[in-house]
Amino acid sequence: MNVIPGFIVAVLIYPGALVAFIAAWALGWVRGATRSALRGVQTPAPLGELRGWRAMFDRESVISLGVHPIAVSLATTLALVCPLLALFLLPVPGNPLAASLGLTGDLAAEGALLLGLPLARVFLGWAIPSPFTRIAADRSARLLAGAILPMVFALTAAAEALKTLGIAFLPARQLALSTAIAVALAAVAFACALPVLAHITPLHEGDADPETLGSELSEISGRDLAFFRVGEALQLVACATLLTLAFLMPLAVGPIGNLAISLTGLLKRADLAAGIAQGLALLIGVLVIAAGLGIWEGVNTQRRASGERPPLTWWFGIPLLLGMAALVAAAIATRGG
Amino acid sequence: MSQPSQPSQPSQQGRAARTESHSRSIVWFTHIDTSGCGACTQSVFGLLAPHYAGRLRAEGISMTRSPRHADIILISGALTRAARIPALRVLLAAPEPHALVAIGDCAINGCVFQGSPLLAQSVAETLDVNIELPGCPPTPEAILAAIIEAKRLLLGEASVADEATANAADEDTDEDTGEAEDSEEGVAADEEDGEEESGEPSDEDDETPADDEGDVADETGDEHDNEKGGQV
């Protein structure tokens, strides 16, 4: 079958979209529960986010004068499609979409798609003639500029260390120590970019940043807002899955292999046991990452107000340094003696 | 305790089908203050205290900063001439249907500022207020009750006031429709003539935000919102 019809058929029969939305809800709840626990506030209701999405779809979509509806539609569509496409192209087991395109996952493509939602948010904030959205978009653009380089360095370092731009579900053998160090540094650098890539726009008063009066999404409502919210939830799944698949699981080949061996004794089928072990590792990885983001947000809200601290904090350059270190380590691991 | 009163139907403007949707189990409210001493504002923000977190969550109510996201708008303070147009702009920014709740005596009758030449007519007289909550200031508890009442109006459910009216009508067969006082949480409500218990839209409001929209456009000349086609 030709590539394009094959991909369309795969999209139609692939249940991944449903799985992605369920995962988005579950990871979002884990993140929110962790954040609430650290802030000492009540844990959000498990179905609260889903009800919120539904309520948003039920509201009227209103946009301000001076914004062309096509600009808003473009931004909201990008915000939903980019994370979804990033998820579709990840080579998780049973995903026929990547295979139908002849891909086994591609780090460069994933990195590009993960930038779609933050860029759409910035575009929307700048497109709306409101000082509140514009200030929020300026702020997001600065954060994004700070996150892009560590992310790119991390992906490049991982590709060099693993000698492929493809994303293997699990490497065939355990990594050498020098390679493992390079991948670990790259993983930390990529994780530093996660709060920006998987940022959830605060809409409620309790979650809102006290430093800003509005967000990029302050002037949209209804379906447009819902698309952004669902896209943000999917972005978390895409980011967490990519970090787990491309960075963390290659480092955990040994423990996953041991788990598979243990399960083989129980299940009497080596392939099934290996699949379950890898699936468990992926699940644990994404859950830990979602909880980690919640911890970061819960701790980060207790920081001092901006008037009491300098605009560039002491850790500002650390993600960049980590990315650079990962690149050097990958070069040494690949070409060193 | 202060008591919300006079629930009227939320502004509809031809959007009745959306009002009947029961997926609006979550509502967002926002607050604007047109003037005054700020006590009502403090009462509103008192709802953000952990004490109310459980009830807000149970009722599916949360506070948002943007009127674009709001289903319920709380307005407090006496309406000054300078604040009238900005207040109308906020109301225009809120998607339809939304409910407007006047918080405090200042919003209802001007309270101690009554008679000041700097005041426009009161909020209750100028805007299409659905619920009035007297008090100086009303307690957060009373404000929460008013929000819940507004949520019921938006959902198209029989509100507490409607039920009270029905009960009163049962007891007093001489009156076709009447005024009633509710016993639940001390909510007192006056049923306006022409309103239906089911929360169906009423076209009998003399002044609606749609009317005010024209005023705002006349006075500012630059403030209008575009509605995206097919999304109503």
Side-chain angles (χ1 to χ4, degrees):
Chain A
M1 188 182 289
N2 197 355
V3 171
I4 301 300
F7 182 74
I8 293 171
V9 169
V11 167
L12 292 176
I13 64 171
Y14 178 51
L18 181 63
V19 175
F21 286 118
I22 294 172
W25 160 72
L27 290 188
W29 183 79
V30 169
R31 179 183 186 172
T34 314
R35 183 178 57 225
S36 302
L38 277 172
R39 286 178 180 171
V41 298
Q42 196 162 12
T43 308
L47 293 178
E49 189 69 17
L50 288 180
R51 291 164 65 200
W53 291 350
R54 197 176 165 199
M56 283 179 213
F57 274 110
D58 196 41
R59 288 192 187 104
E60 181 189 25
S61 290
V62 183
I63 57 174
S64 306
L65 185 70
V67 188
H68 202 286
I70 290 177
V72 177
S73 299
L74 182 67
T76 51
T77 306
L78 271 180
L80 186 64
V81 167
C82 285
L84 206 53
L85 201 55
L87 273 173
F88 283 170
L89 296 182
L90 281 171
V92 291
N95 179 359
L97 302 180
S100 70
L101 287 174
L103 294 173
T104 57
D106 188 273
L107 281 173
E110 289 292 330
L113 286 170
L114 289 185
L115 292 177
L117 173 63
L119 285 174
R121 202 159 39 203
V122 171
F123 168 71
L124 184 70
W126 281 339
I128 294 174
S130 159
F132 302 115
T133 60
R134 196 163 295 163
I135 289 170
D138 288 347
R139 184 186 167 102
S140 289
R142 285 199 297 272
L143 288 171
L144 190 58
I148 283 178
L149 266 184
M151 186 193 81
V152 170
F153 282 177
L155 294 176
T156 310
E160 182 165 9
L162 300 172
K163 297 176 184 170
T164 175
L165 265 174
I167 305 168
F169 189 52
L170 201 64
R173 58 187 173 81
Q174 203 161 349
L175 302 180
L177 180 62
S178 56
T179 308
I181 290 173
V183 174
L185 284 169
V188 179
F190 189 85
C192 289
L194 271 190
V196 177
L197 294 175
H199 176 66
I200 301 282
T201 308
L203 299 180
H204 302 288
E205 186 66 43
D207 299 331
D209 192 330
E211 295 179 14
T212 53
L213 280 174
S215 70
E216 302 92 322
L217 311 185
S218 286
E219 290 289 333
I220 61 171
S221 65
R223 195 176 306 165
D224 300 325
L225 183 63
F227 275 10
F228 255 99
R229 292 303 270 186
V230 176
E232 286 177 343
L234 289 171
Q235 176 91 344
L236 170 62
V237 184
C239 287
T241 310
L242 179 64
L243 178 56
T244 307
L245 280 181
F247 297 96
L248 300 185
M249 287 183 65
L251 295 172
V253 171
I256 293 172
N258 292 337
L259 178 62
I261 291 168
S262 304
L263 289 174
T264 305
L266 293 172
L267 301 172
K268 311 295 183 191
R269 282 184 58 187
D271 55 343
L272 182 63
I276 290 176
Q278 293 176 11
L280 276 176
L282 178 63
L283 189 62
I284 292 170
V286 295
L287 284 174
V288 166
I289 291 167
L293 272 171
I295 291 171
W296 164 261
E297 290 162 350
V299 171
N300 204 30
T301 50
Q302 295 169 6
R303 63 184 177 173
R304 292 176 297 171
S306 62
E308 303 167 8
R309 60 184 165 85
L312 296 180
T313 52
W314 61 270
W315 56 268
F316 179 78
I318 287 183
L320 202 56
L321 279 176
L322 282 168
M324 290 161 61
L327 273 178
V328 174
I332 293 172
T334 310
R335 298 186 178 83
Chain B
M1 192 173 76
S2 306
Q3 302 163 344
S5 61
Q6 291 184 347
S8 62
Q9 296 306 314
S11 53
Q12 301 292 330
Q13 299 182 6
R15 296 174 173 93
R18 287 168 44 77
T19 314
E20 292 170 0
S21 170
H22 288 265
S23 62
R24 191 185 285 272
S25 54
I26 287 184
V27 293
W28 294 0
F29 74 91
T30 192
H31 169 246
I32 54 175
D33 193 4
T34 51
S35 70
C37 64
C40 293
T41 302
Q42 287 192 14
S43 277
V44 171
F45 278 87
L47 289 175
L48 296 179
H51 176 70
Y52 297 102
R55 285 190 62 192
L56 287 174
R57 197 185 83 166
E59 293 286 348
I61 295 168
S62 61
M63 186 175 186
T64 178
R65 288 184 171 185
S66 173
R68 278 274 193 269
H69 307 156
D71 302 295
I72 298 167
I73 298 170
L74 312 181
I75 184 166
S76 63
L79 188 63
T80 62
R81 294 182 189 279
R84 182 174 170 270
I85 298 300
L88 287 173
R89 282 179 176 165
V90 170
L91 295 182
L92 286 176
E96 294 289 344
H98 61 258
L100 182 60
V101 182
I103 301 288
D105 288 342
C106 287
I108 296 171
N109 55 26
C111 195
V112 296
F113 305 105
Q114 202 168 17
S116 167
L118 297 177
L119 293 188
Q121 284 184 307
S122 70
V123 168
E125 291 167 350
T126 306
L127 307 175
D128 183 24
V129 171
N130 303 111
I131 294 176
E132 294 177 5
L133 177 64
C136 189
T139 62
E141 194 76 29
I143 295 172
L144 181 56
I147 294 172
I148 293 169
E149 187 69 27
K151 180 187 172 185
R152 287 179 176 147
L153 285 175
L154 284 170
L155 281 168
E157 293 175 352
S159 67
V160 173
D162 297 331
E163 292 166 6
T165 305
N167 292 337
D170 289 342
E171 291 171 3
D172 185 4
T173 54
D174 293 338
E175 295 179 4
D176 293 336
T177 58
E179 296 177 351
E181 291 195 356
D182 195 344
S183 58
E184 183 180 329
E185 294 185 359
V187 173
D190 297 330
E191 187 72 12
E192 290 187 351
D193 291 343
E195 284 185 0
E196 299 173 27
E197 288 188 5
S198 61
E200 290 300 313
S202 168
D203 295 325
E204 297 186 5
D205 294 324
D206 294 328
E207 188 174 16
T208 67
D211 302 328
D212 295 329
E213 189 174 344
D215 298 342
V216 175
D218 293 341
E219 296 189 37
T220 64
D222 61 353
E223 187 65 23
H224 262 298
D225 292 328
N226 295 333
E227 288 179 12
K228 298 182 75 177
Q231 297 195 354
V232 174

